[in-house]
Amino acid sequence: MFSRAVSRHLYPSRSRLFSTSSKLQADFTHAVIGGGVVGLAVARKLQERDGASTLLIEKHGHVGTETSSRNSEVIHAGLYYGKDSLKTKLCIRGKQLLYETCAQYQIPHRNCGKWIVAQDAQQMDAIENVHKFASSIDVPTHFLSLPEAKNQEPDVRAQAGVLVSPSTGIVDSHSLMQFLEASFSDLGGTLALHSPVTHITPLSSGSQGWEIHTSSPSGETSTTTAETLINSAGLAAIPLSNTILPASRHKTPFYAKGSYFSYSLSTPKPKTLVYPAPIPGHGGLGTHLTLDMGGRVRFGPDVEWVDDASDYAVNDKNLSAALDDIQTYLPGIDRSAIGLDYVGIRPKLGRASAVAAGKGFEDFWIKREEGFEGFVNLLGIESPGLTSCLAIAEEVEGLLYR
């Protein structure tokens, strides 16, 4: 068990004064807003710098309570996002770093692999395109013959073909975030919980630092300053960005709500993850089969577009359609044993496809914003954000310092 990071609300009387450069005197070198898995990874990376003082601001009472803990916990291979996209670059690098970190620090994970299954000629064309793309970016994939597939996973239906992604895996996201939080604390970072940001003031367009104003559960307010500002607020990142940037650079947030489904029986129980062939224009990667670290089967997510980023109410409106999707590749399931489990919401930059071949594909937005010194914006950090978190941390440090 890892020790928990220091948590407190930042009352002015408790702020520390750091003089970390010749031109600025600020309370902290870096302020990272948002304590999800990406914010934790970024804060930890920045705190590793010599002489750095990093403040991680989280509105909830615990880190990682939103998108970071409400997902499939898959370590993605990087198969879907386009050759020149940030998603591909950071997923591939992040996958390597994540496997290395999990092995080094004994964070529960498993390199279980993934099947992408095709039921007809059109779906077979889709997975052949995935294979060609994977080959072009040196991500390993290979096809199984139908007899081989039947022998390995007799419960899985793949009438046209199976593409195997051997570098896909799963990770215990809660243990990963617990490690990142403890590591950040051990490096001397400061974590402020129960501290929703009320507004942010750039001082001379950021050239003199940033004022961050927060509130406490009791309604008290406080202000702290930082030389650099990293917006990693997840579902709240676009609304927060819109309070800082001029109206011409505002973006509209989109929220893809996804329900996950549990399976209460012990059979069928594949040993690998199973995904349907990707559908261009779809908001996700289909209702897929994933496993948790205990080997339990779960399915999801579906896609439901919502306006409320806090709408975690579980409903069964899409359950029947999800069951139909699941039975295309796992026909032996007992439909009555599949039930609603939990809901996750993905922050998106548009009602776009999760795959680069889909119309309107939206890449990660990770940029040092022009005209605002020291401000790095992280918008639309959905899948593969968990896989990419350590690589995103490297990217942010590079934007600030290289």
Side-chain angles (χ1 to χ4, degrees):
M1 186 70 73
F2 302 106
S3 62
R4 294 193 62 81
V6 175
S7 60
R8 59 179 176 83
H9 184 71
L10 285 179
Y11 299 106
S13 62
R14 299 180 185 174
S15 295
R16 295 177 293 169
L17 185 64
F18 290 86
S19 179
T20 52
S21 74
S22 58
K23 68 173 183 175
L24 296 183
Q25 275 200 333
D27 298 331
F28 294 92
T29 316
H30 314 107
V32 179
I33 300 173
V37 68
V38 171
L40 284 163
V42 169
R44 172 178 175 261
K45 184 67 176 176
L46 295 177
Q47 186 59 28
E48 287 178 337
R49 295 185 63 84
D50 289 343
S53 56
T54 305
L55 171 66
L56 178 59
I57 303 171
E58 168 55 44
K59 66 181 179 181
H60 296 295
H62 301 280
V63 299
T65 62
E66 293 184 352
T67 307
S68 298
S69 59
R70 295 172 172 267
N71 57 72
S72 300
E73 299 187 300
V74 172
I75 301 174
H76 288 286
L79 303 177
Y80 300 109
Y81 316 112
K83 189 169 186 178
D84 299 319
S85 72
L86 265 182
K87 285 186 175 181
T88 293
K89 169 189 168 184
L90 298 177
C91 184
I92 293 172
R93 173 62 175 161
K95 173 181 61 175
Q96 174 193 349
L97 292 172
L98 194 53
Y99 276 129
E100 290 173 356
T101 301
C102 286
Q104 181 177 357
Y105 295 102
Q106 300 181 322
I107 299 165
H109 70 290
R110 184 149 52 94
N111 183 191
C112 57
K114 176 177 83 173
W115 284 14
I116 310 173
V117 296
Q119 310 300 340
D120 56 33
Q122 183 179 11
Q123 292 183 12
M124 191 66 194
D125 286 344
I127 67 173
E128 285 176 346
N129 287 334
V130 172
H131 176 60
K132 289 176 185 176
F133 173 68
S135 298
S136 75
I137 57 172
D138 296 322
V139 172
T141 58
H142 63 270
F143 286 99
L144 283 182
S145 70
L146 295 183
E148 286 177 311
K150 193 67 176 176
N151 182 58
Q152 291 185 26
E153 294 286 2
D155 295 318
V156 176
R157 175 195 282 160
Q159 294 180 306
V162 175
L163 181 66
V164 179
S165 170
S167 63
T168 300
I170 54 176
V171 62
D172 183 335
S173 61
H174 299 274
S175 294
L176 173 62
M177 288 188 287
Q178 190 178 41
F179 161 74
L180 292 172
E181 180 184 3
S183 180
F184 173 65
S185 177
D186 291 344
L187 289 165
T190 300
L191 172 61
L193 298 175
H194 293 297
S195 299
V197 172
T198 57
H199 63 285
I200 292 172
T201 304
L203 305 176
S204 299
S205 298
S207 64
Q208 294 301 310
W210 296 82
E211 275 187 356
I212 303 107
H213 307 265
T214 60
S215 64
S216 73
S218 63
E220 295 180 73
T221 61
S222 62
T223 301
T224 193
T225 57
E227 296 180 20
T228 66
L229 177 72
I230 297 88
N231 175 15
S232 183
L235 294 169
I238 292 176
L240 179 63
S241 174
N242 289 348
T243 69
I244 299 171
L245 299 180
S248 61
R249 291 161 67 178
H250 287 187
K251 297 183 180 298
T252 301
F254 294 85
Y255 304 112
K257 178 179 177 179
S259 294
Y260 292 82
F261 311 99
S262 61
Y263 191 58
S264 60
L265 300 181
S266 58
T267 58
K269 190 176 183 180
K271 299 179 291 296
T272 188
L273 312 184
V274 184
Y275 280 55
I279 302 171
H282 195 267
L285 296 175
T287 304
H288 44 266
L289 181 156
T290 60
L291 306 168
D292 65 15
M293 291 306 303
R296 289 180 293 273
V297 169
R298 56 189 176 187
F299 302 97
D302 59 6
V303 176
E304 175 187 355
W305 296 101
V306 296
D307 296 324
D308 183 0
S310 62
D311 179 12
Y312 290 110
V314 179
N315 65 70
D316 62 359
K317 63 188 296 184
N318 295 321
L319 179 56
S320 179
L323 290 172
D324 292 342
D325 288 345
I326 293 164
Q327 280 199 302
T328 63
Y329 61 80
L330 203 66
I333 59 166
D334 182 342
R335 291 173 72 104
S336 67
I338 296 179
L340 297 170
D341 195 355
Y342 62 97
V343 163
I345 300 177
R346 284 157 280 173
K348 297 178 77 75
L349 289 162
R351 293 197 176 193
S353 172
V355 297
K359 184 178 180 181
F361 169 75
E362 295 282 0
D363 203 0
F364 288 153
W365 180 280
I366 303 175
K367 294 187 178 182
R368 185 166 177 167
E369 294 286 2
E370 185 178 352
F372 292 85
E373 185 69 23
F375 178 33
V376 178
N377 230 351
L378 281 69
L379 309 178
I381 310 298
E382 51 158 336
S383 181
L386 174 63
T387 305
S388 306
C389 65
L390 299 174
I392 292 173
E394 287 185 339
E395 183 80 3
V396 170
E397 184 192 31
L399 288 172
L400 287 173
Y401 293 104
R402 290 195 289 274

